[in-house]
Amino acid sequence: MIRIGIVGGTGYTGVELLRLLAQHPEVQVVAITSRGDAGIPVATMFPSLRRRVNLKFEDPAKANLRNCDLVFFATPNGVAMEQAPALLDAGVRVIDLAADFRIKNVAEWERWYGMRHASPEWVEKAVYGLPEYHRAAVRNARLVANPGCYPTAVQLGFMPLVEAGLVETDQLIADAKSGVSGAGRKAEIATLFAEAADNFKAYAVSGHRHLPEIQQGLSTMAGHPVGLTFVPHLTPLIRGIHATLYARIKGEADFQQLFEQCYGGEAFVDILPPGSHPDTRSVRAANVCRIAVHRPQGGNVLVVLSVIDNLVKGAAGQAVQNMNIMFGLPETEGLAQLAVLP
Amino acid sequence: MIRIGIVGGTGYTGVELLRLLAQHPEVQVVAITSRGDAGIPVATMFPSLRRRVNLKFEDPAKANLRNCDLVFFATPNGVAMEQAPALLDAGVRVIDLAADFRIKNVAEWERWYGMRHASPEWVEKAVYGLPEYHRAAVRNARLVANPGCYPTAVQLGFMPLVEAGLVETDQLIADAKSGVSGAGRKAEIATLFAEAADNFKAYAVSGHRHLPEIQQGLSTMAGHPVGLTFVPHLTPLIRGIHATLYARIKGEADFQQLFEQCYGGEAFVDILPPGSHPDTRSVRAANVCRIAVHRPQGGNVLVVLSVIDNLVKGAAGQAVQNMNIMFGLPETEGLAQLAVLP
Amino acid sequence: MIRIGIVGGTGYTGVELLRLLAQHPEVQVVAITSRGDAGIPVATMFPSLRRRVNLKFEDPAKANLRNCDLVFFATPNGVAMEQAPALLDAGVRVIDLAADFRIKNVAEWERWYGMRHASPEWVEKAVYGLPEYHRAAVRNARLVANPGCYPTAVQLGFMPLVEAGLVETDQLIADAKSGVSGAGRKAEIATLFAEAADNFKAYAVSGHRHLPEIQQGLSTMAGHPVGLTFVPHLTPLIRGIHATLYARIKGEADFQQLFEQCYGGEAFVDILPPGSHPDTRSVRAANVCRIAVHRPQGGNVLVVLSVIDNLVKGAAGQAVQNMNIMFGLPETEGLAQLAVLP
Amino acid sequence: MIRIGIVGGTGYTGVELLRLLAQHPEVQVVAITSRGDAGIPVATMFPSLRRRVNLKFEDPAKANLRNCDLVFFATPNGVAMEQAPALLDAGVRVIDLAADFRIKNVAEWERWYGMRHASPEWVEKAVYGLPEYHRAAVRNARLVANPGCYPTAVQLGFMPLVEAGLVETDQLIADAKSGVSGAGRKAEIATLFAEAADNFKAYAVSGHRHLPEIQQGLSTMAGHPVGLTFVPHLTPLIRGIHATLYARIKGEADFQQLFEQCYGGEAFVDILPPGSHPDTRSVRAANVCRIAVHRPQGGNVLVVLSVIDNLVKGAAGQAVQNMNIMFGLPETEGLAQLAVLP
């Protein structure tokens, strides 16, 4: 059994990690920490875990995380960069679900995240954990930077086109819609039910932190900087991201076939038949990205629809997928749950 | 492998059966029928099942259901009473998720359901499949009448009190709230999103078909007819039933302890600590009933809160639980999924 | 024009007061205060009011409220009892939308609200502003205690029965369901979208602050203390309260007619035809309580269904109704908006 | 009083027309028809209208619509083109809320709507009722084609840019999201609560009927055919459209100022301050379009956010606005209701 620690278990990615890991046959969660809720049984806070998760939240200062084989950081941005290095130096492998190690350009990271980076040396060593594109590196990684939710949906949708060089990369558009759980389990007025229900809005149009992360991935693939307009929206879903991607075609191809070939061997990327419209509920609670490819009116704009559950393929599920790769397990181990529909 | 057939697979209990059975290690669904959608791949209608369920809906007239070990009827009321007897006579065991075999008094059934019963002889032989109270009979049953969703939540909440004879049984009140999936996957104006969202209402206050079913169960336990006021409500949930039960105390007891002892050995009934308020999401997509017991202000009214997922413990999950019992499998086989929260 | 001040305008009752008063032909809101948001234009916080409300939030210490004819307190409990007396002494009339002056028994108020009352003398002089039962007193009141949302729905539903002495008053049951806006515009985890959406739960079963308020009203009407079990629930609505009321019949009557006669002259209480089920959306954004009366199976339990919009008839609308009465305006002035359906 | 008839009053645009007209001081609805529900009181179907609308639905064959000054068609596509001409010939003015008279190119209309047009001669005479751009023509129109919901939000957002010639018109992108009431009050599985709640999806990516309508408007303004990619999405709102518009800048300007000047005199178009993100609830139940203009990262893509209530500015409210213009009333008469927030 792989011994697992979770730092920061009281958020939505924390409880989702617990849901998945409690059903994973090869792991044991031995410690979970929370600064504010130390001493409280996990199942008291999350009754969905009653009878299945018997841990209590531990004080981060006291938890014996060095005893773990792998530690997940499900913490706010800025925590893992402070605490992960000591664990890494002690030989513990780490998956950070926050953004601390996602952006290779430290100066750019500091500009977007508004803080000084505490361990730039680990940024360099970190592997960006989008398994479909970095599987080999993940296998041997000591530190995996688990991708953001929007970047997962957007990159999986754009990558085959950018890789094939078939679209204009100076004017990509990603119109993305997220469920409210993406904002985290934080007491804030903007995400109250009475604010977010029966309501729809864009936000951060001037610039969202996931923009440089997506640009980094696409630019690396393209071999040159890409131009991307990224507009996120808040939609009254609990879970789910729907990315609607627009790209101007510059080279002809059978785009449906391109996507099918690109992801033919992937367990967690599902290319729908021509003419499909994936709905977010078709991935609810499941570790899968479903994609459909359209060329409206046979014109010169390609429209790619890409959906994930932001807490699973966009966070905890992808982290478990990376864990499976790191520890030589079948990539689908513990991730076989079907989506919950309706 | 147990060979399974499903009659009427295009409704919500049908797709939920498929979700659960596709993850069950001991069964194989070999046929699923639909009058209206024969020939269509199941995963085309329900993309959540893509890559995991490769069946097509078959014409009921052509499907070889006699070849199955067990057939689930996930059909509207009135279908199983017509079609199940032939299968039963051929040695196939049957679980009916509709109401055809739930009410022992055929005349009463006919009055509430507004049709003539086609196989009263099988009503007599049928076992009412509330496993926590009829486990032994289910084990040997050829035909199981799977309980209704409201009756499951209400009976599990009232039974310990009625069994112990500690409450006035002539004035029980069950105020029940159901998610909209309880109305089924049928094209109707009343359950459109624009009608049911951001809206709350009671319905069928003058009499709901689940009333006689609940009364039958409680009266049998009490040894005399009980008086029950049952008011169902439609609430803007997809899944979930919350029953708030009121009973006048006539004998003193430690009611918390009573419930804990009653359900102590049950895998799928969870008694919460004193002072708890179970929420429906704590059972979303999981086969469990969570119950809390309150005595407000120390008065003479007991309030029991009972929640289930209407599609799981209230339908498909309970049916699989009954199947496990019928076939000598561990009762929890294939039913270990944790609730999806948030 | 009546000069209006609003203390505490950043909550949901505050913005709802502004919506209603901005459309009222006889009033002018001259000041609105907020401790935390002084200086900010109201329409910046609530864009729904753009071009129609040109006020800025003012520092409560600086606002000239004594210049007003009427001041509404849309503040948390405990504020009006501190600040209203000085205004009252200066001749300003006051309507408090919080609970400070609702309970005549100060000791009981202090027990339920957990603080010492700052102006018990004004509790005595305050008029409980349920217009349908206290219209005459409201007319001349200097201080009106605007009823709570649950107490409005529950009392309007029970009062005719209690007044007529036709039900057992020692075992009344009120099973009430509220939309999430009832919890206010406060940053709290429990009312986040991702917590409250697609979820249903009871809360405060052991005792909710509206219990003594309802009991006071019903007991006064009955002439003796009533026994009430009150269970509130949180339901995924933005607005709306649905109270399902249960009473044991002790005297026969035509209950439908009783309600119709009782409220025949009321502009804001609507008795539905026999067999109806009022839905909360039928009162969304409107100052009306709709009621239906049922006697299931012709038994001895009466079921009354009572719905309001918690922010309108349950708060701001009722406050405007009280204002109209206090200032001799037609009671319906400014309150003629139809419910928004769907 | 202007005498009003409504053909087809049982849909969402019908009930919304009634809500608005019942609060309009200068009109009287004298007849409302429904083929299927003739004889039923309107307020029985829509209890929100109780005590305020006393009409019954009439059989269309019997209703005396020729006696009206104006008839609204709130019918499915294809009805008005059959029935309106006789009324028009009798001197009755008509506003069609369906699509029959929106597209000037009859052949194109027939292709998109899949039927033969019954009165091409009236297509030519009809005025497209987007008042902000066709006010003068509406004033004298006998027949107004009320714009579609998406076309209203998208055109109001793109028009100033196209008019000023400042963006590339061969590659406009409109990513639009609609509430479910846009699909109408029709019994369909796809728009059931249990299908559409907590779910998000694109639809009709290959081509939606509102595409040619939008292209017609923008192309007329541009003076040449525009290239538009239009992707509609279904989002779990009851009401609301959010259009996110992308255009490539070809000429520099102060775009904020451009929009403010363009709509400076408009009562129902509200340009938000720079940096704003309009939410759909800020227009819920109100006849207004709120727009924000962004230029992310100072790049060469302009992003315009445009929100309306699809049933008000996107249908019934705009129809009343057109009526006001046609009959020489103040354009805002009866349309002053503030948005309902929260």
Side-chain angles (χ1 to χ4, degrees):
Chain A
M1 299 289 269
I2 304 167
R3 297 172 59 82
I4 303 288
I6 299 174
V7 179
T10 62
Y12 291 137
T13 51
V15 61
E16 189 68 356
L17 271 175
L18 286 168
R19 182 177 75 93
L20 296 173
L21 294 172
Q23 301 179 76
H24 192 294
E26 303 289 342
V27 309
Q28 188 183 5
V29 181
V30 296
I32 182 163
T33 72
S34 163
R35 221 176 351 216
D37 295 293
I40 296 179
V42 168
T44 298
M45 183 172 291
F46 300 117
S48 54
L49 302 174
R50 280 173 59 85
R51 300 181 168 193
R52 298 287 289 282
V53 174
N54 294 315
L55 296 163
K56 290 185 183 182
F57 291 111
E58 290 182 68
D59 185 328
K62 297 180 187 161
N64 186 0
L65 295 170
R66 299 192 181 207
N67 199 23
C68 295
D69 300 305
L70 173 68
V71 169
F72 292 97
F73 279 81
T75 42
N77 298 320
V79 175
M81 70 183 184
E82 298 282 357
Q83 300 179 8
L87 292 171
L88 289 160
D89 289 341
V92 180
R93 298 171 88 176
V94 168
I95 298 178
D96 178 27
L97 284 84
D100 296 13
F101 303 102
R102 292 179 192 158
I103 306 285
K104 291 298 178 190
N105 183 328
V106 172
E108 190 172 13
W109 186 91
E110 292 180 338
R111 194 164 62 246
W112 282 95
Y113 288 87
M115 48 184 136
R116 186 140 193 82
H117 205 291
S119 52
E121 69 283 10
W122 276 106
V123 172
E124 203 178 343
K125 294 179 200 156
V127 171
Y128 186 74
L130 190 63
E132 289 74 12
Y133 289 93
H134 306 290
R135 187 169 282 119
V138 168
R139 194 166 290 126
N140 303 307
R142 292 169 61 191
L143 169 61
V144 165
N146 211 56
C149 49
Y150 286 126
T152 297
V154 174
Q155 289 180 88
L156 290 177
F158 267 142
M159 280 294 204
L161 297 171
V162 172
E163 186 173 24
L166 293 170
V167 296
E168 304 285 359
T169 52
D170 63 335
Q171 45 181 303
L172 301 171
I173 289 174
D175 187 291
K177 302 86 178 174
S178 174
V180 185
S181 66
R185 192 169 164 276
K186 292 188 302 260
E188 286 181 334
I189 284 177
T191 49
L192 291 178
F193 181 89
E195 300 285 314
D198 208 44
N199 193 20
F200 189 93
K201 62 180 293 188
Y203 65 101
V205 177
S206 64
H208 183 283
R209 287 167 171 182
H210 285 173
L211 174 61
E213 182 180 341
I214 301 169
Q215 281 180 315
Q216 170 182 276
L218 297 180
S219 297
T220 304
M221 178 60 83
H224 59 260
V226 304
L228 172 68
T229 302
F230 169 57
V231 178
H233 301 74
L234 194 65
T235 181
L237 307 174
I238 297 177
R239 294 161 173 251
I241 283 183
H242 185 292
T244 312
L245 310 177
Y246 301 87
R248 204 170 170 83
I249 297 167
K250 74 171 186 194
E252 286 302 327
D254 180 331
F255 293 102
Q256 176 73 23
Q257 197 180 51
L258 175 74
F259 275 77
E260 286 177 0
Q261 284 174 350
C262 180
Y263 293 118
E266 292 297 338
F268 297 122
V269 182
D270 176 26
I271 308 303
L272 300 187
S276 300
H277 302 93
D279 48 2
T280 57
R281 67 177 184 159
S282 75
V283 299
R284 184 190 292 142
N287 192 57
V288 60
C289 175
R290 297 197 204 275
I291 289 175
V293 186
H294 289 260
R295 186 175 184 171
Q297 314 285 307
N300 65 351
V301 175
L302 209 68
V303 178
V304 179
L305 312 174
S306 170
V307 301
I308 59 169
D309 181 323
N310 55 301
L311 296 180
V312 193
K313 184 60 178 164
Q318 186 145 271
V320 172
Q321 185 182 351
N322 279 317
M323 175 194 79
N324 285 340
I325 297 169
M326 291 165 83
F327 287 83
L329 301 172
E331 199 164 321
T332 56
E333 192 78 69
L335 292 173
Q337 293 93 345
L338 285 165
V340 176
L341 176 162
Chain B
M1 298 289 269
I2 303 167
R3 297 172 60 81
I4 303 287
I6 299 175
V7 179
T10 61
Y12 293 137
T13 51
V15 61
E16 189 69 356
L17 271 175
L18 286 168
R19 182 177 74 93
L20 296 173
L21 294 172
Q23 303 179 76
H24 192 296
E26 303 291 340
V27 309
Q28 189 184 5
V29 180
V30 296
I32 182 163
T33 72
S34 163
R35 222 177 348 215
D37 294 291
I40 296 178
V42 169
T44 298
M45 184 172 291
F46 301 117
S48 54
L49 302 174
R50 279 174 60 86
R51 299 181 168 193
R52 298 285 290 283
V53 174
N54 295 316
L55 295 162
K56 290 185 182 182
F57 291 111
E58 289 182 70
D59 185 327
K62 296 180 188 159
N64 187 1
L65 296 169
R66 299 193 180 205
N67 199 23
C68 295
D69 300 303
L70 173 69
V71 169
F72 292 98
F73 279 82
T75 42
N77 298 319
V79 175
M81 70 184 184
E82 298 281 0
Q83 300 180 10
L87 292 171
L88 289 160
D89 290 340
V92 180
R93 297 171 89 176
V94 168
I95 297 178
D96 178 26
L97 285 84
D100 296 13
F101 303 101
R102 292 179 191 158
I103 307 285
K104 291 298 178 187
N105 183 327
V106 172
E108 191 173 12
W109 186 91
E110 292 180 339
R111 195 166 59 247
W112 281 94
Y113 287 88
M115 48 183 135
R116 186 139 194 83
H117 205 294
S119 53
E121 68 284 7
W122 277 106
V123 173
E124 202 179 343
K125 293 179 201 157
V127 172
Y128 186 74
L130 190 63
E132 289 75 13
Y133 289 93
H134 307 291
R135 187 170 283 118
V138 169
R139 194 166 290 126
N140 303 307
R142 293 169 60 192
L143 169 60
V144 165
N146 211 56
C149 50
Y150 287 125
T152 297
V154 174
Q155 290 181 88
L156 290 176
F158 267 143
M159 279 294 204
L161 298 171
V162 172
E163 186 172 23
L166 293 170
V167 296
E168 303 285 359
T169 52
D170 64 334
Q171 43 180 299
L172 302 171
I173 290 174
D175 188 289
K177 301 87 178 172
S178 174
V180 185
S181 66
R185 191 168 166 275
K186 290 189 303 261
E188 286 181 333
I189 285 177
T191 49
L192 291 179
F193 181 90
E195 300 284 314
D198 207 43
N199 193 20
F200 188 93
K201 62 178 294 187
Y203 66 100
V205 177
S206 64
H208 184 283
R209 287 167 171 183
H210 285 173
L211 174 61
E213 182 180 341
I214 301 169
Q215 281 181 313
Q216 170 182 277
L218 297 180
S219 297
T220 303
M221 178 59 84
H224 59 260
V226 304
L228 172 69
T229 302
F230 169 57
V231 177
H233 301 74
L234 194 65
T235 181
L237 308 174
I238 297 177
R239 293 160 173 252
I241 283 183
H242 186 291
T244 311
L245 310 176
Y246 302 87
R248 205 169 169 83
I249 296 167
K250 74 172 187 193
E252 287 302 327
D254 180 331
F255 293 102
Q256 176 74 24
Q257 198 181 51
L258 175 75
F259 274 78
E260 286 176 1
Q261 284 174 349
C262 180
Y263 293 118
E266 292 298 338
F268 296 122
V269 183
D270 176 25
I271 308 303
L272 301 186
S276 300
H277 301 95
D279 49 2
T280 57
R281 65 177 185 161
S282 76
V283 299
R284 186 189 292 141
N287 192 56
V288 61
C289 175
R290 297 197 204 276
I291 290 175
V293 186
H294 289 261
R295 187 176 184 171
Q297 316 284 308
N300 66 352
V301 174
L302 209 69
V303 178
V304 179
L305 312 174
S306 170
V307 301
I308 60 170
D309 182 322
N310 55 299
L311 296 181
V312 193
K313 184 60 178 165
Q318 186 145 268
V320 172
Q321 185 182 352
N322 280 318
M323 176 195 79
N324 285 341
I325 296 169
M326 292 166 82
F327 286 84
L329 301 172
E331 199 165 321
T332 56
E333 193 78 68
L335 292 173
Q337 294 93 344
L338 285 165
V340 175
L341 176 162
Chain C
M1 299 289 269
I2 304 167
R3 296 173 60 81
I4 302 289
I6 299 174
V7 179
T10 61
Y12 291 137
T13 52
V15 62
E16 189 68 356
L17 271 176
L18 286 168
R19 182 177 75 91
L20 296 173
L21 294 173
Q23 302 180 75
H24 192 295
E26 304 290 340
V27 308
Q28 188 184 5
V29 181
V30 297
I32 182 163
T33 72
S34 164
R35 223 177 350 218
D37 294 293
I40 296 178
V42 168
T44 297
M45 184 173 290
F46 300 117
S48 54
L49 303 175
R50 279 174 60 85
R51 300 182 168 192
R52 297 286 289 281
V53 175
N54 294 317
L55 296 162
K56 289 185 183 183
F57 292 111
E58 290 182 69
D59 185 328
K62 296 182 190 159
N64 186 1
L65 296 170
R66 297 191 183 208
N67 199 24
C68 295
D69 300 303
L70 173 68
V71 169
F72 292 97
F73 279 82
T75 42
N77 298 320
V79 174
M81 69 183 185
E82 298 281 0
Q83 300 179 10
L87 291 171
L88 289 161
D89 290 341
V92 180
R93 298 171 88 177
V94 167
I95 297 177
D96 178 27
L97 284 84
D100 296 14
F101 302 102
R102 291 179 192 158
I103 306 284
K104 292 297 177 188
N105 183 326
V106 173
E108 190 173 13
W109 187 90
E110 292 180 338
R111 193 164 64 247
W112 281 95
Y113 287 88
M115 47 183 134
R116 186 141 193 83
H117 205 292
S119 53
E121 68 283 9
W122 276 106
V123 171
E124 204 179 340
K125 294 179 201 155
V127 171
Y128 186 74
L130 191 63
E132 290 74 14
Y133 289 93
H134 306 291
R135 188 169 283 118
V138 168
R139 195 165 292 128
N140 302 306
R142 293 170 61 193
L143 170 59
V144 165
N146 210 57
C149 50
Y150 286 127
T152 296
V154 174
Q155 289 181 88
L156 289 177
F158 268 142
M159 280 294 203
L161 297 171
V162 172
E163 186 172 23
L166 293 170
V167 296
E168 304 284 0
T169 52
D170 64 334
Q171 45 181 303
L172 302 172
I173 290 174
D175 188 290
K177 302 87 178 170
S178 175
V180 186
S181 66
R185 192 165 165 277
K186 293 189 301 264
E188 287 181 333
I189 285 177
T191 49
L192 291 178
F193 181 90
E195 300 285 313
D198 208 44
N199 193 20
F200 189 94
K201 63 179 295 189
Y203 66 101
V205 177
S206 64
H208 184 282
R209 288 166 170 182
H210 285 174
L211 175 61
E213 182 181 340
I214 301 169
Q215 281 179 315
Q216 170 182 277
L218 297 181
S219 296
T220 303
M221 179 59 85
H224 59 259
V226 304
L228 173 68
T229 302
F230 169 57
V231 177
H233 302 75
L234 194 65
T235 180
L237 307 174
I238 297 177
R239 294 160 172 252
I241 284 183
H242 186 292
T244 312
L245 310 177
Y246 301 87
R248 203 170 170 83
I249 296 168
K250 74 172 185 193
E252 285 302 327
D254 181 330
F255 293 103
Q256 176 74 24
Q257 199 182 49
L258 175 75
F259 275 77
E260 286 176 1
Q261 284 175 351
C262 180
Y263 292 118
E266 292 296 341
F268 297 122
V269 182
D270 176 26
I271 307 304
L272 301 186
S276 300
H277 301 94
D279 48 2
T280 58
R281 65 176 185 161
S282 76
V283 299
R284 185 190 291 141
N287 192 57
V288 59
C289 175
R290 295 195 206 277
I291 291 175
V293 186
H294 288 260
R295 186 175 184 171
Q297 315 284 306
N300 65 352
V301 175
L302 209 67
V303 178
V304 179
L305 312 174
S306 170
V307 301
I308 59 170
D309 182 322
N310 56 300
L311 296 181
V312 193
K313 185 60 179 163
Q318 187 145 267
V320 172
Q321 186 182 352
N322 280 317
M323 177 195 77
N324 286 341
I325 296 169
M326 292 165 82
F327 286 84
L329 301 172
E331 198 164 322
T332 56
E333 192 78 69
L335 293 173
Q337 293 93 345
L338 286 165
V340 176
L341 177 159
Chain D
M1 300 288 271
I2 303 168
R3 297 173 60 80
I4 303 287
I6 299 174
V7 179
T10 61
Y12 292 137
T13 51
V15 61
E16 189 69 355
L17 271 176
L18 286 169
R19 181 177 76 91
L20 296 173
L21 295 173
Q23 301 179 76
H24 192 295
E26 304 290 342
V27 309
Q28 189 184 5
V29 180
V30 296
I32 182 163
T33 72
S34 163
R35 221 177 349 218
D37 294 292
I40 296 178
V42 168
T44 298
M45 184 173 291
F46 301 117
S48 54
L49 303 175
R50 278 173 60 85
R51 299 180 169 196
R52 298 285 290 281
V53 174
N54 294 316
L55 297 162
K56 290 185 182 181
F57 292 112
E58 290 182 69
D59 185 328
K62 296 181 190 160
N64 187 1
L65 296 169
R66 297 193 181 205
N67 199 23
C68 295
D69 300 304
L70 173 69
V71 169
F72 292 98
F73 279 82
T75 41
N77 298 320
V79 174
M81 70 183 184
E82 297 281 358
Q83 300 179 10
L87 292 171
L88 288 160
D89 290 340
V92 181
R93 299 171 86 177
V94 167
I95 298 178
D96 178 27
L97 284 85
D100 296 13
F101 303 102
R102 292 180 191 157
I103 306 284
K104 292 297 179 190
N105 183 327
V106 173
E108 191 172 14
W109 187 91
E110 292 180 338
R111 194 164 62 248
W112 282 95
Y113 287 87
M115 47 185 137
R116 184 138 195 84
H117 205 292
S119 53
E121 68 284 8
W122 276 105
V123 172
E124 203 179 341
K125 294 179 202 157
V127 172
Y128 186 74
L130 191 63
E132 289 75 13
Y133 289 93
H134 305 291
R135 187 169 282 121
V138 168
R139 194 165 292 128
N140 303 307
R142 292 169 63 192
L143 169 60
V144 165
N146 211 56
C149 50
Y150 287 127
T152 297
V154 174
Q155 289 180 86
L156 289 176
F158 268 142
M159 279 294 203
L161 297 170
V162 172
E163 187 173 22
L166 293 170
V167 296
E168 304 285 359
T169 52
D170 64 333
Q171 45 181 303
L172 301 172
I173 290 174
D175 188 290
K177 302 87 177 173
S178 174
V180 185
S181 66
R185 191 166 167 275
K186 292 189 302 262
E188 288 182 332
I189 285 178
T191 49
L192 291 178
F193 181 90
E195 299 285 313
D198 208 43
N199 193 21
F200 189 94
K201 62 179 293 187
Y203 65 101
V205 177
S206 65
H208 184 283
R209 288 167 171 183
H210 285 173
L211 174 61
E213 182 181 340
I214 301 169
Q215 280 179 315
Q216 170 182 278
L218 297 180
S219 296
T220 303
M221 178 60 84
H224 59 260
V226 304
L228 172 69
T229 302
F230 169 58
V231 177
H233 301 75
L234 194 65
T235 181
L237 307 174
I238 297 176
R239 291 161 174 253
I241 283 183
H242 186 293
T244 312
L245 310 177
Y246 301 87
R248 203 171 171 82
I249 296 167
K250 74 171 186 192
E252 285 302 327
D254 181 331
F255 293 103
Q256 176 74 23
Q257 199 180 50
L258 175 74
F259 275 76
E260 286 177 0
Q261 284 175 349
C262 181
Y263 292 118
E266 292 297 339
F268 297 121
V269 182
D270 177 26
I271 307 303
L272 301 186
S276 300
H277 301 93
D279 48 2
T280 58
R281 65 176 185 162
S282 76
V283 299
R284 186 190 292 142
N287 192 57
V288 60
C289 175
R290 298 196 203 277
I291 290 175
V293 186
H294 289 260
R295 186 176 184 169
Q297 315 284 308
N300 65 352
V301 175
L302 208 68
V303 178
V304 179
L305 313 175
S306 171
V307 300
I308 59 170
D309 182 323
N310 55 300
L311 296 181
V312 193
K313 184 61 177 163
Q318 186 144 269
V320 173
Q321 185 182 351
N322 280 317
M323 176 195 78
N324 286 340
I325 295 169
M326 292 166 83
F327 287 83
L329 301 172
E331 198 163 323
T332 57
E333 193 76 69
L335 293 173
Q337 293 93 344
L338 286 165
V340 176
L341 176 162

